[in-house]
Amino acid sequence: MAKNTAPRVVAHLGRPETPEETAARKAVDSRNHRQRQTVSNLIYALIATLGLMIFIVLIVPRSDTPIEPIVDVAAVAQGASVSTGRDLVVPSVPQGWRSNAAELRTTADDIQAWYIGYLTADDEYIGLYQGFETNPTWVAERLNKTLAVGTVDIAGVDWTVYDNRKSSADVGNARYGLVTEVGDETFILLGSAEPIEFTELATAIAPSITERQGASS
């Protein structure tokens, strides 16, 4: 049977298509088909990307604990001791504590101090300052100009106590603090940890302080 090659009758024209109309219709159909394919491909790509992201989120281990730098206090102290010509304290802290800072700090009036920042096992902060040739203003600024409430003996060292835990004022990091002086050095402990944790740190540096007391007597 011979194939029917009669021109296609277009309903809205009421007559067969001309070759030009047929070519134009096919071109429009081809363009629409490509556009539909492009949109479909885009949707598939978005779905695949979203699925990959979900997969990565599910398989990558996560922790609620913030990532913090762990500082090698002894290594930093070794270099800082050379530049200061001072014997810098490097406490042996309780298990679970970590240091996130260790550095020499110098104020605008050229008072230099060795500083170590500790986080306790409960993620509470204690900062240790070993200041050289300090003055009352330097001490007051570290403790946010708060007032002493008494004294305490810890491992043979007398400390002045600053307890601002119940204060409604903004005392910054000076929620609790301990201060002692020996020779031309001032040691300050301050932060948000519990007094018992301050006692642990004060006990750790007590041998260094009593050694200085013996040398200066």
Coordinates of all heavy atoms in Angstrom, one line a residue, residues 138-197:
W138 N 46.7 48.5 87.7 CA 46.8 47.3 86.8 C 45.9 46.2 87.5 O 45.2 45.5 86.8 CB 48.2 46.8 86.6 CG 48.4 45.6 85.8 CD1 48.4 45.6 84.4 CD2 48.4 44.3 86.2 NE1 48.6 44.3 83.9 CE2 48.6 43.5 85.0 CE3 48.4 43.6 87.4 CZ2 48.7 42.1 85.1 CZ3 48.5 42.3 87.5 CH2 48.7 41.5 86.3
V139 N 46.1 46.0 88.8 CA 45.3 44.9 89.5 C 43.8 45.3 89.4 O 43.0 44.4 89.1 CB 45.8 44.8 90.9 CG1 44.9 43.8 91.7 CG2 47.2 44.4 91.0
A140 N 43.5 46.5 89.7 CA 42.1 46.9 89.7 C 41.4 46.7 88.3 O 40.3 46.3 88.2 CB 41.9 48.4 90.1
E141 N 42.2 47.0 87.2 CA 41.6 46.9 85.9 C 41.4 45.4 85.6 O 40.4 45.1 84.9 CB 42.6 47.5 84.9 CG 42.6 49.0 84.9 CD 43.6 49.6 84.0 OE1 44.4 48.9 83.5 OE2 43.5 50.9 83.8
R142 N 42.3 44.5 86.0 CA 42.1 43.1 85.7 C 40.8 42.6 86.4 O 40.1 41.8 85.9 CB 43.3 42.3 86.2 CG 44.6 42.6 85.7 CD 44.9 42.2 84.3 NE 44.4 43.1 83.3 CZ 44.9 44.3 83.0 NH1 45.9 44.8 83.7 NH2 44.4 45.1 82.1
L143 N 40.5 43.1 87.6 CA 39.4 42.7 88.4 C 38.2 43.6 88.3 O 37.3 43.6 89.1 CB 39.8 42.6 89.9 CG 40.8 41.4 90.1 CD1 41.6 41.7 91.3 CD2 40.0 40.1 90.3
N144 N 38.2 44.4 87.2 CA 37.0 45.2 86.9 C 36.7 46.2 88.0 O 35.5 46.5 88.2 CB 35.8 44.4 86.5 CG 35.3 44.7 85.1 OD1 35.2 45.9 84.7 ND2 34.9 43.7 84.4
K145 N 37.7 46.6 88.7 CA 37.5 47.6 89.8 C 36.5 47.1 90.9 O 35.9 47.9 91.6 CB 37.0 49.0 89.3 CG 38.0 49.6 88.3 CD 37.6 50.9 87.8 CE 38.6 51.7 87.0 NZ 39.1 51.0 85.8
T146 N 36.5 45.8 91.1 CA 35.6 45.3 92.2 C 36.4 45.3 93.5 O 37.7 45.5 93.5 CB 35.2 43.8 91.9 OG1 36.3 43.0 91.6 CG2 34.3 43.8 90.6
L147 N 35.8 45.0 94.6 CA 36.4 45.1 95.9 C 36.7 43.8 96.5 O 35.9 42.8 96.3 CB 35.5 45.9 96.9 CG 35.1 47.4 96.4 CD1 34.2 48.0 97.4 CD2 36.4 48.2 96.3
A148 N 37.8 43.7 97.3 CA 38.1 42.4 98.0 C 37.1 42.2 99.1 O 36.6 43.1 99.7 CB 39.5 42.6 98.5
V149 N 36.9 40.9 99.4 CA 36.0 40.5 100.4 C 36.7 39.8 101.6 O 36.0 39.4 102.6 CB 34.9 39.6 99.9 CG1 34.0 40.4 98.8 CG2 35.4 38.3 99.3
G150 N 38.0 39.5 101.4 CA 38.7 38.8 102.5 C 40.0 38.1 102.0 O 40.4 38.5 100.9
T151 N 40.5 37.3 102.8 CA 41.7 36.6 102.4 C 41.6 35.1 102.7 O 40.7 34.6 103.4 CB 42.9 37.1 103.2 OG1 42.7 36.9 104.6 CG2 43.2 38.6 102.9
V152 N 42.5 34.3 102.0 CA 42.4 32.8 102.2 C 43.9 32.3 102.0 O 44.6 32.8 101.2 CB 41.5 32.2 101.2 CG1 41.9 32.4 99.8 CG2 41.3 30.7 101.6
D153 N 44.2 31.3 102.9 CA 45.5 30.6 102.7 C 45.3 29.4 101.9 O 44.5 28.5 102.2 CB 46.1 30.3 104.1 CG 47.4 29.6 104.0 OD1 47.4 28.4 103.5 OD2 48.4 30.1 104.4
I154 N 46.0 29.3 100.8 CA 46.0 28.1 99.9 C 47.4 27.5 99.8 O 48.2 28.2 99.2 CB 45.4 28.4 98.6 CG1 43.9 29.0 98.7 CG2 45.3 27.2 97.7 CD1 43.3 29.5 97.4
A155 N 47.6 26.4 100.3 CA 48.9 25.7 100.2 C 50.1 26.6 100.6 O 51.1 26.6 100.0 CB 49.1 25.2 98.8
G156 N 49.8 27.4 101.7 CA 50.9 28.2 102.3 C 51.0 29.6 101.7 O 51.9 30.3 102.0
V157 N 50.1 29.9 100.7 CA 50.2 31.2 100.1 C 48.9 32.0 100.5 O 47.8 31.5 100.4 CB 50.2 31.1 98.6 CG1 50.2 32.5 97.9 CG2 51.5 30.3 98.1
D158 N 49.1 33.2 100.9 CA 48.0 34.1 101.3 C 47.4 34.8 100.0 O 48.2 35.5 99.3 CB 48.4 35.2 102.3 CG 48.7 34.5 103.7 OD1 48.0 33.5 104.0 OD2 49.6 35.0 104.4
W159 N 46.2 34.6 99.8 CA 45.5 35.2 98.6 C 44.4 36.2 99.1 O 43.7 35.9 100.1 CB 44.9 34.2 97.7 CG 45.8 33.2 97.1 CD1 46.3 32.1 97.6 CD2 46.3 33.4 95.7 NE1 47.1 31.5 96.6 CE2 47.1 32.2 95.5 CE3 46.1 34.3 94.7 CZ2 47.8 32.0 94.3 CZ3 46.8 34.1 93.5 CH2 47.6 33.0 93.3
T160 N 44.3 37.3 98.4 CA 43.1 38.2 98.6 C 42.0 37.8 97.7 O 42.2 37.5 96.5 CB 43.5 39.7 98.2 OG1 44.6 40.1 99.0 CG2 42.3 40.6 98.5
V161 N 40.8 37.7 98.3 CA 39.7 37.1 97.6 C 38.7 38.2 97.1 O 38.4 39.1 97.8 CB 38.9 36.1 98.5 CG1 37.7 35.5 97.8 CG2 39.8 35.1 99.1
Y162 N 38.3 38.0 95.8 CA 37.3 38.9 95.2 C 36.1 38.0 94.8 O 36.3 37.1 93.8 CB 37.9 39.6 94.0 CG 38.9 40.6 94.3 CD1 40.2 40.2 94.6 CD2 38.7 42.0 94.3 CE1 41.2 41.1 94.9 CE2 39.7 42.9 94.6 CZ 41.0 42.4 94.9 OH 41.9 43.3 95.2
D163 N 35.0 38.1 95.4 CA 33.9 37.2 95.1 C 32.7 38.1 94.7 O 32.0 38.7 95.5 CB 33.5 36.4 96.4 CG 32.5 35.3 96.1 OD1 31.9 35.3 95.0 OD2 32.2 34.5 96.9
N164 N 32.4 38.1 93.4 CA 31.4 38.9 92.8 C 30.3 38.0 92.1 O 29.5 38.5 91.3 CB 32.0 39.8 91.7 CG 33.0 40.7 92.3 OD1 32.8 41.5 93.2 ND2 34.3 40.5 91.7
R165 N 30.2 36.8 92.6 CA 29.3 35.8 92.0 C 27.8 36.2 92.2 O 26.9 35.9 91.3 CB 29.5 34.4 92.5 CG 30.8 33.8 92.0 CD 31.1 32.5 92.7 NE 31.3 32.6 94.1 CZ 31.2 31.7 95.0 NH1 30.8 30.5 94.6 NH2 31.4 31.9 96.3
K166 N 27.5 36.9 93.3 CA 26.1 37.3 93.5 C 25.9 38.8 93.1 O 24.8 39.3 93.4 CB 25.8 37.1 95.0 CG 25.9 35.7 95.4 CD 25.5 35.5 96.9 CE 25.5 34.1 97.3 NZ 25.2 33.9 98.8
S167 N 26.8 39.4 92.5 CA 26.7 40.8 92.1 C 25.8 41.0 90.9 O 25.9 40.1 90.0 CB 28.1 41.5 91.9 OG 27.9 42.8 91.3
S168 N 25.0 42.0 90.9 CA 24.1 42.2 89.7 C 24.8 43.1 88.7 O 24.3 43.4 87.6 CB 22.8 42.9 90.2 OG 23.1 44.1 90.8
A169 N 26.0 43.6 89.1 CA 26.8 44.5 88.2 C 27.5 43.7 87.1 O 27.7 42.5 87.3 CB 27.8 45.3 89.0
D170 N 27.8 44.4 86.1 CA 28.6 43.7 85.0 C 30.0 43.7 85.4 O 30.7 44.7 85.2 CB 28.4 44.5 83.7 CG 29.1 43.8 82.5 OD1 29.7 42.7 82.7 OD2 29.1 44.4 81.4
V171 N 30.5 42.6 85.8 CA 31.9 42.5 86.3 C 32.8 41.7 85.3 O 33.9 41.4 85.6 CB 32.0 41.8 87.7 CG1 31.3 42.7 88.7 CG2 31.4 40.4 87.7
G172 N 32.3 41.5 84.1 CA 33.0 40.8 83.1 C 33.5 39.4 83.6 O 32.7 38.6 84.1
N173 N 34.8 39.1 83.4 CA 35.3 37.8 83.8 C 35.7 37.8 85.3 O 36.1 36.7 85.8 CB 36.6 37.6 83.0 CG 36.3 37.2 81.6 OD1 35.3 36.5 81.3 ND2 37.2 37.6 80.6
A174 N 35.5 38.8 86.0 CA 35.8 38.9 87.4 C 34.7 38.4 88.3 O 34.4 39.0 89.3 CB 36.3 40.3 87.8
R175 N 34.1 37.3 88.0 CA 33.1 36.7 88.8 C 33.7 36.3 90.2 O 33.1 36.4 91.2 CB 32.3 35.6 88.2 CG 31.7 35.9 86.8 CD 30.7 37.0 86.9 NE 29.6 36.7 87.8 CZ 28.6 37.6 88.1 NH1 28.7 38.8 87.7 NH2 27.7 37.2 89.0
Y176 N 34.9 35.8 90.1 CA 35.6 35.3 91.3 C 37.1 35.5 91.0 O 37.5 35.4 89.8 CB 35.3 33.8 91.6 CG 35.8 33.4 92.9 CD1 35.0 33.5 94.1 CD2 37.1 32.8 93.1 CE1 35.5 33.1 95.3 CE2 37.6 32.4 94.3 CZ 36.7 32.6 95.4 OH 37.2 32.2 96.7
G177 N 37.8 36.0 92.0 CA 39.2 36.2 91.8 C 40.1 36.0 93.0 O 39.6 36.1 94.1
L178 N 41.4 35.7 92.8 CA 42.4 35.6 93.8 C 43.6 36.4 93.4 O 44.0 36.4 92.2 CB 42.8 34.1 94.1 CG 41.7 33.2 94.5 CD1 42.2 31.7 94.5 CD2 41.2 33.5 95.9
V179 N 44.2 37.1 94.4 CA 45.4 38.0 94.1 C 46.4 37.8 95.1 O 46.1 37.7 96.3 CB 45.0 39.5 94.0 CG1 46.3 40.3 93.7 CG2 44.0 39.7 92.9
T180 N 47.7 37.6 94.7 CA 48.8 37.6 95.7 C 50.0 38.2 95.1 O 50.1 38.2 93.8 CB 49.1 36.1 96.1 OG1 50.0 36.1 97.2 CG2 49.8 35.3 95.0
E181 N 50.8 38.8 95.9 CA 52.0 39.4 95.4 C 53.3 38.8 96.1 O 53.2 38.4 97.3 CB 52.0 40.9 95.8 CG 50.9 41.7 95.1 CD 50.9 43.2 95.4 OE1 51.8 43.6 96.1 OE2 49.9 43.9 95.0
V182 N 54.3 38.7 95.3 CA 55.6 38.2 95.8 C 56.7 39.0 95.1 O 56.8 38.9 93.8 CB 55.7 36.7 95.7 CG1 55.5 36.2 94.3 CG2 57.1 36.2 96.2
G183 N 57.6 39.7 95.8 CA 58.6 40.5 95.1 C 58.0 41.5 94.3 O 57.1 42.2 94.7
D184 N 58.4 41.6 93.0 CA 57.8 42.6 92.1 C 56.8 41.9 91.1 O 56.5 42.4 90.1 CB 58.9 43.3 91.3 CG 59.7 42.3 90.3 OD1 59.5 41.1 90.5 OD2 60.4 42.7 89.5
E185 N 56.3 40.7 91.5 CA 55.4 40.0 90.7 C 54.0 39.9 91.4 O 53.9 39.8 92.6 CB 55.9 38.6 90.4 CG 57.2 38.5 89.6 CD 57.6 37.1 89.3 OE1 56.8 36.2 89.4 OE2 58.8 36.9 89.1
T186 N 53.0 40.0 90.6 CA 51.6 39.9 91.1 C 50.9 38.8 90.3 O 50.9 38.7 89.1 CB 50.8 41.2 90.9 OG1 51.5 42.3 91.5 CG2 49.4 41.1 91.4
F187 N 50.3 37.8 91.1 CA 49.6 36.7 90.5 C 48.1 37.0 90.7 O 47.6 37.2 91.8 CB 50.0 35.4 91.1 CG 51.4 35.0 90.8 CD1 52.5 35.4 91.6 CD2 51.7 34.2 89.7 CE1 53.8 35.0 91.3 CE2 52.9 33.8 89.4 CZ 54.0 34.2 90.2
I188 N 47.4 36.9 89.6 CA 45.9 37.0 89.6 C 45.2 35.8 89.0 O 45.6 35.4 87.8 CB 45.5 38.3 88.9 CG1 46.0 39.6 89.5 CG2 43.9 38.4 88.9 CD1 45.7 40.9 88.8
L189 N 44.3 35.3 89.6 CA 43.4 34.3 89.1 C 42.0 34.8 89.0 O 41.5 35.4 90.0 CB 43.4 33.0 89.9 CG 44.8 32.4 90.3 CD1 44.5 31.1 91.1 CD2 45.6 32.1 89.1
L190 N 41.3 34.8 87.9 CA 40.0 35.3 87.8 C 39.2 34.5 86.8 O 39.7 33.9 85.9 CB 40.0 36.8 87.5 CG 40.7 37.2 86.2 CD1 39.9 37.1 84.9 CD2 41.1 38.7 86.3
G191 N 37.8 34.6 86.9 CA 37.0 33.9 86.0 C 35.6 33.5 86.5 O 35.2 34.1 87.5
S192 N 35.0 32.5 85.9 CA 33.7 32.1 86.2 C 33.6 30.7 86.9 O 32.5 30.2 87.1 CB 32.8 32.1 84.9 OG 33.4 31.2 84.0
A193 N 34.7 30.1 87.1 CA 34.7 28.7 87.7 C 34.4 28.8 89.1 O 34.2 29.9 89.7 CB 36.1 28.1 87.5
E194 N 34.2 27.6 89.7 CA 33.9 27.5 91.1 C 35.1 27.7 92.0 O 36.2 27.5 91.6 CB 33.3 26.1 91.4 CG 31.9 25.9 90.8 CD 30.9 26.8 91.3 OE1 30.9 27.1 92.5 OE2 30.1 27.3 90.5
P195 N 34.9 28.3 93.2 CA 36.1 28.5 94.1 C 37.0 27.3 94.3 O 38.2 27.4 94.4 CB 35.4 28.9 95.4 CG 34.1 29.6 95.0 CD 33.7 28.8 93.8
I196 N 36.4 26.1 94.3 CA 37.2 24.9 94.5 C 38.2 24.7 93.3 O 39.3 24.2 93.5 CB 36.3 23.6 94.6 CG1 37.2 22.4 95.0 CG2 35.5 23.4 93.4 CD1 37.9 22.5 96.2
E197 N 37.8 25.1 92.1 CA 38.6 25.0 91.0 C 39.7 26.1 91.0 O 40.9 25.9 90.6 CB 37.8 25.1 89.7 CG 36.9 23.9 89.5 CD 35.9 24.1 88.4 OE1 35.2 25.2 88.3 OE2 35.7 23.2 87.6

